[in-house]
Amino acid sequence: MQSPENFTVVPGTVVNSIIAQMRVQIIDEVRCVYLLHQNGKTINPDSYFLRFPDRLDSRIIALPAALRGQQPFSGIKWIASYPKNIEMGLSRASAVLLLNDYETGYPFACLEASTISAARTAASAVLAAGTLAGEKRSGGRICFIGAGIIAKTILDFFVSDDWNFNSVVVHDLNTDYGNAFTSYVESVCQTSTHFESSLDKAIAGADLVVFATTALKPHVSDPQTFNPGQVVLHISLRDLVPEIILQSWNIVDDVEHCLKADTSPHLAEQATGNRDFIAGTLAEVLMQKINLDRSRPLVFSPFGLGVLDLAVGARILQQAVAMGEAVTVPGFFGNVRRWA
């Protein structure tokens, strides 16, 4: 049980530094949590969306969750997504993560969480790539659709996990963003890299395709866009028309969660009235309960589970405390004793 007498804060600079040192461990943590979730060792209710009638592209999402086991705890991520922030030179996403004691319910820590959210997303993507691509970490071509923070973080995790690519292609509707990310790729990968203004040309011939956009509705409509065996990390969830989903071999992180909120798989379910096009979850692939079908494109669509944020946040908190970088706030809750 965590003592309610103290409250711990981990600022973003510390979170960023720890993530940069622990990317491989974070991938392993995400793998473990997926398996725990598959085995019913988590509580992960629906995400809650706060939307604004005068800001249709913006939202704030609450992701409550709990991890059960030898050291159970609960918590919530509160993350805002404001795409127009980038026009002001600000990051699109901002977030905090609160961790709660499982026995008393008292919050015991708060962490800056936009980087945690990006890190667990990237770890999930790299884990899926290794699982679906058959551990092909050397050679090949990767294509990034979307040149923002999520794409950068995914690339960083690929590099830390010892992936090597013969070539990297970047596509973004904004040429300046695309060129900036292309320059970053060249600085960390030291491989053939170029910006491609044509979406079709960017995807053609890629072994791995990463969608990390802010698309609110499908914009990839040609059913012939992807080839058999091509691995598509559909991280942004709303890029593909239902026809593409229906002819692909589809893996999700959680079926119930992913088939909501007008994601591409959700649109496919609405079009067909069934979920037969979902092969299963990434955890089931990891547990070898599902055989890959490389006769079709392999599409991974992760909705993003709050339990991943909790697990990654807890690891970062533990490291921050060990390094003496966490900030303790004595008496944060005032008088916690009922009759004192």
Side-chain angles (χ1 to χ4, degrees), residues 3-340:
S3 171
E5 304 292 344
N6 295 322
F7 187 75
T8 303
V9 176
V10 184
T13 52
V14 176
V15 172
N16 294 349
S17 176
I18 292 174
I19 287 175
Q21 302 169 33
M22 294 181 61
R23 293 188 185 112
V24 174
Q25 293 94 321
I26 290 172
I27 295 172
D28 290 338
E29 187 74 27
V30 167
R31 179 195 295 268
C32 291
V33 175
Y34 273 146
L35 296 175
L36 286 174
H37 183 68
Q38 186 70 35
N39 290 321
K41 301 297 184 180
T42 67
I43 303 172
N44 204 107
D46 287 344
S47 302
Y48 298 90
F49 289 74
L50 176 62
R51 300 186 183 275
F52 310 92
D54 58 336
R55 294 176 174 269
L56 296 180
D57 64 337
S58 302
R59 62 189 186 275
I60 308 180
I61 313 171
L63 289 84
L67 279 163
R68 299 185 293 172
Q70 292 184 343
Q71 295 181 317
F73 63 99
S74 58
I76 188 169
K77 180 178 72 172
W78 180 240
I79 181 165
S81 176
Y82 279 58
K84 290 184 179 178
N85 279 359
I86 60 178
E87 298 174 7
M88 300 181 286
L90 299 174
S91 295
R92 173 187 60 84
S94 57
V96 293
L97 177 70
L98 284 174
L99 302 180
N100 295 71
D101 183 79
Y102 199 80
E103 291 186 33
T104 68
Y106 268 88
F108 61 84
C110 177
L111 299 88
E112 193 285 324
S114 63
T115 311
I116 292 173
S117 185
R120 63 86 151 146
T121 300
S124 173
V126 173
L127 175 64
T131 305
L132 301 181
E135 302 294 338
K136 296 179 181 177
R137 298 169 180 265
S138 297
R141 173 177 171 177
I142 186 170
C143 167
F144 285 92
I145 309 300
I149 296 298
I150 297 300
K152 175 184 177 297
T153 307
I154 291 173
L155 175 71
D156 289 339
F157 271 72
F158 270 122
V159 173
S160 294
D161 200 36
D162 293 330
W163 286 69
N164 295 290
F165 302 102
N166 289 339
S167 63
V168 181
V169 182
V170 175
H171 171 82
D172 195 286
L173 295 177
N174 187 303
T175 303
D176 291 338
Y177 300 157
N179 286 332
F181 183 47
T182 300
S183 297
Y184 180 76
V185 174
E186 291 173 340
S187 70
V188 298
C189 287
Q190 300 177 345
T191 190
S192 173
T193 307
H194 75 275
F195 172 76
E196 176 55 67
S197 59
S198 167
L199 176 65
D200 291 339
K201 290 181 180 179
I203 293 173
D207 300 282
L208 277 171
V209 181
V210 180
F211 280 92
T213 74
T214 57
L216 297 177
K217 59 183 180 180
H219 58 96
V220 182
S221 58
D222 185 355
Q224 304 304 315
T225 298
F226 304 105
N227 297 322
Q230 200 169 26
V231 175
V232 181
L233 304 178
H234 188 209
I235 306 305
S236 37
L237 286 174
R238 295 172 177 84
D239 302 270
L240 312 179
V241 296
E243 290 78 7
I244 293 177
I245 294 293
L246 293 174
Q247 70 177 17
S248 301
W249 192 80
N250 294 282
I251 286 292
V252 298
D253 52 358
D254 181 283
V255 177
E256 292 297 329
H257 285 272
C258 192
L259 273 67
K260 287 185 175 72
D262 288 336
T263 64
S264 293
H266 186 207
L267 295 179
E269 179 189 33
Q270 294 176 51
T272 61
N274 63 66
R275 300 177 173 183
D276 296 345
F277 56 90
I278 300 292
T281 66
L282 183 62
E284 289 176 307
V285 180
L286 291 169
M287 297 165 70
Q288 298 183 335
K289 292 185 175 181
I290 301 174
N291 295 319
L292 304 182
D293 181 1
R294 299 193 185 279
S295 67
R296 296 184 283 169
L298 285 69
V299 178
F300 175 56
S301 300
F303 194 78
L305 302 176
V307 286
L308 299 180
D309 297 283
L310 293 193
V312 173
R315 285 289 295 269
I316 292 170
L317 173 64
Q318 182 182 42
Q319 186 67 13
V321 170
M323 295 167 56
E325 296 289 344
V327 179
T328 300
V329 185
F332 181 83
F333 290 103
N335 189 355
V336 300
R337 299 301 169 186
R338 187 180 179 197
W339 295 113

